[in-house]
Amino acid sequence: EAGVAQSPRYKIIEKRQSVAFWCNPISGHATLYWYQQILGQGPKLLIQFQNNGVVDDSQLPKDRFSAERLKGVDSTLKIQPAKLEDSAVYLCASSLRPSYAGAGDTQYFGPGTRLTVL
Amino acid sequence: GNSVTQMEGPVTLSEEAFLTINCTYTATGYPSLFWYVQYPGEGLQLLLKATKADDKGSNKGFEATYRKETTSFHLEKGSVQVSDSAVYFCALSGSTTGNQFYFGTGTSLTVIP
């Protein structure tokens, strides 16, 4: 079974530029998550989708970050304009069950995209 | 609210030593608990999990027991190997938050021959 795919793996941009990340979850997984992992910290949830609807985006900085999951499969996360503090690894994860099924469903993570903002 | 407090690192052990990484949590309701491992240059991989109190998760010689009375989920391994060198993350999935995960800060483990 193929895992969660992410691209690109690395991205270097200057501040105020825009950038987009792509994620393809495990086939058949209902729920998709984007996390931000700053160096030396644990991942922090940015946004959670169930199929193509948003479940939770309370920690997404909506003035500069946006995300979508078209047709309930692939997802893109965009930053526009980027700030220095956005330098981090952006992780995508997916889980099989819908979020309303409750806790305990394993999340499967992709390799992440390392973003450096200069 | 939900949060995870994890033992600070880095931890350096000799091969075949005993490993304990402490993890405590705060949660509303009845969370599920997880340990994930991150090898250099790779994404997070599930190591083990427990979904209710007194459950023991185990995998690859690692174990952790869900202790509701002490709100803990400490990771243990009896004899570590060089290949266990990685960063370990404790996480909880809250029962009232649609499987949203809350992670600890991670503990870096280095095992020397």
Side-chain angles (χ1 to χ4, degrees):
Chain A
E1 178 181 81
V4 176
Q6 288 188 248
S7 67
R9 291 294 308 275
Y10 304 92
K11 190 73 177 179
I12 301 173
I13 62 172
E14 296 191 349
K15 61 183 179 184
R16 291 189 288 275
Q17 286 187 323
S18 63
V19 64
F21 312 127
W22 173 82
C23 172
N24 182 235
I26 293 173
S27 177
H29 278 199
T31 307
L32 185 147
Y33 315 78
W34 282 102
Y35 290 86
Q36 181 191 59
Q37 185 179 15
I38 293 172
L39 187 65
Q41 299 181 18
K44 183 187 81 171
L45 181 72
L46 291 175
I47 189 167
Q48 177 178 346
F49 292 94
Q50 178 181 303
N51 298 316
N52 60 349
V54 175
V55 174
D56 185 348
D57 64 356
S58 58
Q59 300 201 73
L60 187 73
K62 299 182 188 62
D63 58 334
R64 298 184 300 105
F65 286 64
S66 64
E68 60 183 5
R69 188 183 184 197
L70 296 176
K71 301 181 182 179
V73 183
D74 292 8
S75 178
T76 56
L77 175 69
K78 296 179 182 178
I79 308 175
Q80 181 179 5
K83 292 185 175 181
L84 296 176
E85 59 261 35
D86 297 332
S87 294
V89 176
Y90 291 85
L91 297 167
C92 179
S94 68
S95 61
L96 178 63
R97 300 192 316 232
S99 53
Y100 60 73
D105 199 18
T106 298
Q107 292 187 20
Y108 297 87
F109 285 80
T113 297
R114 182 176 298 278
L115 173 67
T116 302
V117 182
L118 302 175
Chain B
N2 296 314
S3 66
V4 172
T5 301
Q6 196 173 332
M7 171 179 169
E8 301 243 347
V11 174
T12 302
L13 294 174
S14 297
E15 206 165 22
E16 299 184 2
F18 184 86
L19 169 71
T20 300
I21 301 178
N22 290 337
C23 172
T24 57
Y25 68 89
T26 301
T28 53
Y30 304 97
S32 296
L33 300 172
F34 301 78
W35 277 101
Y36 278 80
V37 58
Q38 189 172 35
Y39 298 103
E42 299 184 16
L44 278 76
Q45 301 174 24
L46 176 69
L47 183 57
L48 53 84
K49 74 178 192 182
T51 57
K52 62 182 188 294
D54 300 324
D55 270 2
K56 177 186 284 188
S58 61
N59 185 26
K60 300 181 181 179
F62 291 89
E63 293 183 340
T65 301
Y66 186 157
R67 302 283 189 202
K68 191 169 187 293
E69 63 277 11
T70 54
T71 62
S72 65
F73 192 55
H74 304 322
L75 182 68
E76 296 182 337
K77 186 175 186 183
S79 176
V80 292
Q81 305 301 313
V82 172
S83 57
D84 294 326
S85 298
V87 181
Y88 293 81
F89 291 93
C90 184
L92 75 81
S93 166
S95 62
T96 60
T97 55
N99 204 42
Q100 177 180 153
F101 276 28
Y102 297 83
F103 284 88
T105 54
T107 301
S108 175
L109 170 66
T110 301
V111 180
I112 55 177

